[in-house]
Amino acid sequence: MKHYTSIQDIDSLPQWVADARALKANSKAYKSLGENKTICLLFFNNSLRTRLSTQKAAMNLGLEVMVMNFGSEGWALEYEDGTIMDQGTSEHIKEAAKVVSQFCDIVAIRAFASLTDKEKDEAEVVLNGFKKYTTIPVVNMESSVGHPLQALADAITIGEQNTKERPKIVLSWAPHPKALPHAVANSFTEMMLKQNADFIITHPEGYELDTKITKGATIEHDQKKALENADFVYVKNWSSYKDYGKVINQDKNWMMTKDKLGNAKFMHCLPVRRNVVVEDAVLDSDQSIVIEQANNRTYAAQIVLKKILEKL
C-alpha cells in the first residue's frame, strides 16, 4: 500500500483493527520507524481531532511533523490542465505537489466537498491532484467523498466494544442547520460492508447516499423500526445526494434521544450539536462512546502511517 485515500485500501479490516489495538497497547513500540523522516499535514479545511490525532500518531512513530493551513496560508491552487491562470489562482497543483514532495516523505491532506458541484467533488481534484503529481505517499484526512481515517477508528472502537458475533449496527441520519458532506457516512458504510454485522442505514426519504456506495446495505426510512434491538447507533447528518448539497428536511423528530437509543452504544464522529443532532441525556450517558472514538483516531492514523513507513 503506497497511499491511504479510501477504506478500500485496507486489504484485511480485521487484521488492521487487531494491529491498531496492539499499537494502542504499546504506542511507542515503533518510534524508530519514522526517524529522519517527515510528514506534512496540509489542511484546506478546519480540524480538531484529525489534526491532533494524526500529529500524535506521527510523533509516536518518530516522524517530524510539518503543518500548514493551506486555505489561509498557501497560494490558491489551480487544478485544471491548460488553464490560462489570469484569474484567482496563483500556483498550479503540478508545481505545488512536486515541491511538497521535496520537503517531506509523506503528505496528508484534508479538503472538504464544495457541495455545489457533484462532478467536481467526486473527481476529488485536491486529493487526486496530489496523488498524481507527488512522488510520495498521500494520506486522506477527509476528502470530498470519504473519511477513511474516521471509519478505521470507528472499526477499532466497535472491535473494542462489541460482545456479539454479529451485532446490529445502525447509521442514522439526524437534523442539522447546515448542509454537511457525505464523507463520514460514505466511509462508515464502506467499512461496515466489510464487517460481520447486521447493518442498516436509516434516513428520511430524499437523503439516500450514493447507491454505488450503499449497494449491499439495508435502507430503512422508518427510524423507530431500524433502531429496534440495535447494539450500536452511529448518528450523522448529511445533505441530499440526489438534490446535491441541499437541506431538504430538518425534521427535529430524527434527533437521537435516550428513548430511541434503547440499550445501544451511541457513536458520532464529532463535533456534534447538542440537542439538535442528539440530546444531552445520550451524550452524557455511559452509553456514549464518542470520546473513545476520538481517542482511537490516533491509532487509526498510526497503523496507516506504520504500514506506509514499512514500505518506504
Side-chain angles (χ1 to χ4, degrees), residues 78-92:
E78 177 60 54
Y79 298 95
E80 293 186 14
D81 287 340
T83 303
I84 298 173
M85 292 172 54
D86 59 354
Q87 298 298 316
T89 54
S90 304
E91 182 166 12
H92 202 281

Side-chain angles (χ1 to χ4, degrees), residues 43-79:
F43 290 90
F44 290 78
N45 296 95
N46 295 340
S47 178
L48 171 62
R49 278 149 294 277
T50 299
R51 179 189 296 260
L52 297 181
S53 63
T54 307
Q55 189 164 352
K56 181 65 180 293
M59 292 163 61
N60 284 346
L61 292 168
L63 283 159
E64 296 289 337
V65 183
M66 298 189 294
V67 180
M68 184 175 183
N69 298 312
F70 213 98
S72 59
E73 297 171 352
W75 300 111
L77 294 183
E78 177 60 54
Y79 298 95

